Amino acid sequence: MRVSVQLFARLRELAGQADVDCDVADGATIADVWRAVAARHPALAPYASSVSCARNEDFARMSAPVHDGDAIAFLPPVSGG
Amino acid sequence: MDLWDEGPKVQGSKGPKVLPAYTEGMSLLAITRQPLRAEALAADLERQVQSRGEGCGGICTFLGVVRATHQGRRVRHLEYEAFEPLALKSFARIESEVAREWPAAAIAIHHRIGRLEIGEASVVIATAASHRAEAFQACRYAIERIKQIAPIWKHEFFDDGEAWVEGATADVDDEAARQRARDIAACA
């Protein structure tokens, strides 16, 4: 199945693109999507322990399952305010 | 649709004039590219809460402002980026947390994105309550929570380079972080 991935801020700059399509196996989780994206863009790997994520514009856990067509977002540590 | 979009241009005797972007009754929670107006936002909030409970006896406003230095380096300007739909949801979450902690308080949050110059406001928070203590506490709580969970990023541009600022890992389920924000607010 295929999910779309959105990268923000420094993650986007490190990957060189804001939007990535990602193919993952049935039963995959957001963590699996992260690993697939980080494999394609190794510069993202150091963010494994600090990244947070969203699924279909809602906060999610990395352990959450994904479904075909989901929109996943990976968020580096935030700095609003 | 950005509620702060420039209004229609009006042709007057002195040429084109842009109407003020801020209109009464716009959303109290917003992400915008336009300059922030704390006073107008506070007035909107006051109108909304004046009839509630004991009425509105105090409004606390906080403005986050672009500082000219960061860790000794001179900042030329900043750029803020947001995951807008999720940032608005995080503001709504903060609003409901405030309602739970301070039932008599109400809140408005406007955060700016795009390029900001030194001295410009990046965020304005207004809290209104029947008494000042709740207004101060809710306001302090809200800025701490924005820094913890709002998917917004600050990109600093210096004379000699640039850097993304990276603070907290956004985790809305982190109760310890929420408790820290409550503890800080209790001292406000």
Side-chain angles (χ1 to χ4, degrees), chain A residues 39-66:
Chain A
R40 211 184 310 169
H41 301 283
L44 301 183
Y47 280 86
S49 58
S50 62
V51 72
S52 52
C53 60
R55 185 185 56 196
N56 301 331
E57 299 182 352
D58 268 317
F59 285 110
R61 320 279 323 156
M62 292 295 267
S63 56
V66 297

